[in-house]
Amino acid sequence: MKCIILAAGYATRLYPLTENFPKPLLEVGGKPILDWLIEDIADEIEEFLVVSNHKFASHFEKWKETRPEKITIIDDGTSTNETRLGAVRDLQLAVGDRKDDFLVMAGDNVLDFSLVPFIQFARKKGTSCVMCHEENRLEALQKTAVIEMNADNLILSYEEKPVNPKGNHAVPPFYYYTKEDIVRIGKALEDGCNPDAPGSYAAWLSRITPMHAYVMPGKRHDIGDMKSYEAVKNSFSGPSIK
């Protein structure tokens, strides 16, 4: 299995900190965000594919030299926020003609739990899967992807930023795609899948094939702005829930 890390954003809300440096390489708890993510699942992953924009690709290449894992840096060729490809097109670029199951995640989150049980859950279900967590604030649900699921964790509905959410489980950017499903990205884009939102592909996919949802056992820290970064950069100490 391979892991795609989406890291081609420009993190404009963290300027000037990220004006000339990629957010996924900012230090949290004494080491880069990406180190926390890949160390947790290194034993499960054959190769990590990190998608960068052209502006920051050299930073990731330099970081790659510090890691023992097999890591490939993929430059998506963009240099500004205005010309970005979007998460789904970056995902398509990373997959290329590779035929494998893929763990896909955004490179700007840290977790207080391990992703290994999520991988095990997806393998047991035998379908593409997403992670989710309960969210009961309407304003928060209206800003994210929201699913309904049954007692067997089968996804019944999947909406992006719904005005009137049908469910109360939010979906952060962590996905498991089977090799049969990952190749459908081109069709999804042809059907109008939003290329900017990473969850839009999972939402499209859930309408044509069975998918399941794994309920997160802990907390995700989304580093979106200076306030959220300051809140975790000195206090985070890695996954405490295995």
Side-chain angles (χ1 to χ4, degrees):
M1 185 176 71
K2 294 179 173 59
C3 175
I4 295 174
I5 300 176
L6 300 171
Y10 290 86
T12 56
R13 288 188 295 160
L14 273 165
Y15 277 16
L17 190 61
T18 54
E19 190 167 4
N20 294 296
F21 192 79
K23 179 166 61 167
L25 296 183
L26 292 177
E27 286 202 357
V28 170
K31 57 186 175 183
I33 294 169
L34 285 190
D35 282 21
W36 290 111
L37 290 172
I38 68 175
E39 287 173 4
D40 171 46
I41 56 173
D43 290 342
E44 305 288 332
I45 302 299
E46 174 189 349
E47 180 182 12
F48 291 90
L49 306 165
V50 179
V51 188
S52 169
N53 57 57
H54 183 66
K55 181 179 180 180
F56 293 144
S58 61
H59 290 278
F60 288 105
E61 290 286 359
K62 184 177 179 180
W63 162 79
K64 168 186 166 180
E65 298 304 315
T66 71
R67 300 299 316 171
E69 299 83 7
K70 182 179 181 182
I71 299 173
T72 299
I73 308 302
I74 298 173
D75 182 346
D76 76 358
T78 72
S79 296
T80 67
N81 189 53
E82 291 70 29
T83 59
R84 68 189 183 277
L85 296 184
V88 178
R89 289 199 180 100
D90 278 332
L91 176 59
Q92 184 182 33
L93 178 67
V95 172
D97 60 1
R98 296 175 174 89
K99 295 177 176 61
D100 210 328
D101 295 340
F102 285 88
L103 179 68
V104 178
M105 57 185 170
D108 57 358
N109 296 260
V110 288
L111 309 169
D112 71 359
F113 59 94
S114 172
L115 282 171
V116 173
F118 172 51
I119 295 171
Q120 294 170 338
F121 170 90
R123 286 172 173 162
K124 183 177 180 180
K125 291 295 184 183
T127 68
S128 294
C129 296
V130 302
M131 286 210 309
C132 69
H133 62 88
E134 187 172 330
E135 176 57 75
N136 294 308
R137 297 171 298 159
L138 177 61
E139 65 275 16
L141 291 170
Q142 291 173 333
K143 296 177 181 179
T144 189
V146 181
I147 61 169
E148 288 181 292
M149 60 182 173
N150 66 15
D152 190 42
N153 296 86
L154 180 71
I155 295 175
L156 304 176
S157 70
Y158 197 134
E159 305 170 284
E160 281 284 340
K161 300 181 179 180
V163 175
N164 298 301
K166 295 178 183 177
N168 69 333
H169 280 88
V171 182
F174 292 84
Y175 318 94
Y176 182 104
Y177 293 118
T178 66
K179 58 181 177 291
E180 293 83 9
D181 289 340
I182 197 70
V183 297
R184 303 175 192 250
I185 300 174
K187 182 64 169 68
L189 290 168
E190 289 176 6
D191 285 352
C193 174
N194 178 5
D196 278 332
S200 61
Y201 179 56
W204 176 88
L205 189 62
S206 72
R207 294 191 287 271
I208 65 171
T209 191
M211 292 180 64
H212 291 84
Y214 172 79
V215 180
M216 292 164 42
K219 185 175 181 180
R220 169 184 72 112
H221 300 279
D222 176 15
I223 301 170
D225 52 27
M226 286 300 299
K227 182 178 180 181
S228 56
Y229 178 53
E230 292 292 340
V232 298
K233 75 172 185 178
N234 293 320
S235 60
F236 185 75
S237 58
S240 58
I241 303 171
K242 299 295 185 179

